[in-house]
């Protein structure tokens, strides 16, 4: 089915949020990173400015800068109204209120838009929809990220998530996914089966992170081909 711009509600986070959602340390940042469902996040642009290497994938990258900019302007008030109606599902400590949230999100999306055309030419923004096969070689990336797509959209079904993560693990040494909640801020129904499935073959852990905006959304899933470094806890169960 065609991916229609009229059904896209663009919303993007920034580098500092990614750093905290995924506990990205210097040794992680300096790996070759690929970020799935990266949308209009500022992460790729900011990482590139800092001299790191990131490739972002998302079906919205088939659209032009002008179309995406217009869609962001068209939908932002609707997203903010939904957030206002669900304020209790969020933690207002780091981000103090809706106006501050609007400022942070718009800044991230402007950073993305300003980088988009150059990034597309450099192959940093690649149109792609999971769970389709990506155009990359096995183990081409050190780290694969999914922020606010996999696991969050539990309604896509377990098979979608398993196939998507399998493709991510084909091209990445390690994959990190955040958050582990669904859109109603409840633990995602697909999480236990994902953990069971990948624990058979990989090192799987659930780790607390220093980012929490969705209430109780402060854990990420890590799946790696080898054991994690000695500095990190290794757990094969949900804690
Ligand atoms: C909530 S946004 C998250 C954007 C960004 N990762 C962030 O955290 O700021 C979810 C993204 O998933 C993308 N998406 C939707 N269907 C997808 C698919 N089948 N494969 C990959 N990404 C998809 C959307 O286009 C959207 O940009």
């Amino acid at each position: 089915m065609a991916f229609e711009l009229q059904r896209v509600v663009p919303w993007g986070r920034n580098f500092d949020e990614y750093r905290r959602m995924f506990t990205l340390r210097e040794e992680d940042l300096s790996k070759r990173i690929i970020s799935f469902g990266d949308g209009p996040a500022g992460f790729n642009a900011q990482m590139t400015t800092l001299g790191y290497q990131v490739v972002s994938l998302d079906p919205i990258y088939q659209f032009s800068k002008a179309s995406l900019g217009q869609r962001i302007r068209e939908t932002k008030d609707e997203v903010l109204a939904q957030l206002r109606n669900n304020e209790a599902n969020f933690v207002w400590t780091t981000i103090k209120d809706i106006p501050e949230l609007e400022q942070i999100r718009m800044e991230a999306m402007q950073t993305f838009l300003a980088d988009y055309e150059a990034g597309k030419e450099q192959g940093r923004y690649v149109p792609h929809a999971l769970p389709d096969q990506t155009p990359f070689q096995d183990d081409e990336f050190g780290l694969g990220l999914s922020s606010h797509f996999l696991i969050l959209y539990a309604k896509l079904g377990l098979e979608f998530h398993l196939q998507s993560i399998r493709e991510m693990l084909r091209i990445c040494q390690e994959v990190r996914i955040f958050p582990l909640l669904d859109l109603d801020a409840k633990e995602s129904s697909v999480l236990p089966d994902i953990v069971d499935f990948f624990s058979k073959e990989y090192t799987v852990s659930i780790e607390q992170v220093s980012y929490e905006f969705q209430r109780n959304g402060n854990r990420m899933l890590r799946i790696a081909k080898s054991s994690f470094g000695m500095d990190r806890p290794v757990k094969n169960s949900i804690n």
Side-chain angles (χ1 to χ4, degrees):
M1 194 174 41
F3 194 88
E4 292 163 26
L5 184 60
Q6 285 316 306
R7 297 182 58 189
V8 173
V9 181
W11 206 235
R13 291 159 190 81
N14 64 29
F15 166 74
D16 186 57
E17 293 181 289
Y18 271 61
R19 198 179 52 73
R20 289 183 291 126
M21 288 189 285
F22 297 112
T23 319
L24 297 174
R25 301 173 185 178
E26 183 49 43
E27 69 260 28
D28 300 315
L29 295 172
S30 50
K31 288 178 180 156
R32 191 158 180 236
I33 295 178
I34 181 161
S35 192
F36 297 81
D38 217 29
F43 178 65
N44 188 320
Q46 291 173 282
M47 283 283 282
T48 303
T49 302
L50 293 169
Y52 298 113
Q53 287 183 61
V54 182
V55 173
S56 296
L57 304 186
D58 199 294
I60 70 167
Y61 302 152
Q62 67 190 274
F63 302 115
S64 68
K65 175 182 174 179
S67 307
L68 290 176
Q70 188 186 339
R71 193 66 194 146
I72 289 169
R73 287 190 295 280
E74 276 168 10
T75 53
K76 116 183 136 79
D77 289 340
E78 180 193 320
V79 178
L80 291 168
Q82 275 176 20
L83 280 158
R84 226 170 259 120
N85 290 336
N86 292 292
E87 258 180 285
N89 282 349
F90 298 92
V91 177
W92 300 97
T93 46
T94 308
I95 300 174
K96 297 283 179 297
D97 51 24
I98 299 261
E100 189 179 346
L101 178 71
E102 176 177 359
Q103 188 210 322
I104 291 171
R105 291 283 169 275
M106 293 312 287
E107 221 171 85
M109 292 192 280
Q110 288 309 328
T111 303
F112 159 78
L113 283 176
D115 180 53
Y116 181 56
E117 284 174 335
K120 245 181 136 170
E121 275 198 13
Q122 293 160 10
R124 289 189 287 109
Y125 296 108
V126 178
H128 172 265
L130 286 168
D132 292 352
Q133 184 162 4
T134 57
F136 302 106
Q137 305 293 315
D138 292 0
D139 291 323
E140 210 176 310
F141 296 89
L143 184 59
L145 306 175
S146 164
S147 156
H148 293 84
F149 179 58
L150 289 173
I151 297 185
L152 178 68
Y153 290 88
K155 64 181 179 195
L156 292 169
L158 179 63
E159 201 46 43
F160 177 94
H161 289 83
L162 295 179
Q163 278 181 30
S164 297
I165 297 169
R166 227 189 329 240
E167 173 59 9
M168 290 164 77
L169 284 163
R170 182 183 70 77
I171 61 171
C172 302
Q173 296 283 345
E174 180 186 335
V175 160
R176 300 184 192 180
I177 301 174
F178 179 94
L180 307 186
L181 304 180
D182 62 21
L183 291 169
D184 295 321
K186 302 207 169 63
E187 181 164 297
S188 176
S189 59
V190 294
L191 179 62
D193 287 335
I194 290 173
V195 170
D196 280 356
F197 185 87
F198 289 102
S199 294
K200 292 182 191 117
E201 221 178 312
Y202 301 99
T203 304
V204 177
S205 94
I206 288 179
E207 297 179 15
Q208 191 162 336
V209 301
S210 66
Y211 181 89
E212 181 179 1
F213 182 48
Q214 223 185 353
R215 192 170 294 283
N216 299 321
N218 62 350
R219 296 182 309 157
M220 71 157 162
L221 179 67
R222 286 179 76 189
I223 307 175
K225 287 182 174 161
S226 56
S227 303
F228 302 136
M230 297 301 282
D231 59 325
R232 300 268 178 108
V234 177
K235 297 182 211 105
N236 277 311
S237 61
I238 299 175
N239 54 10

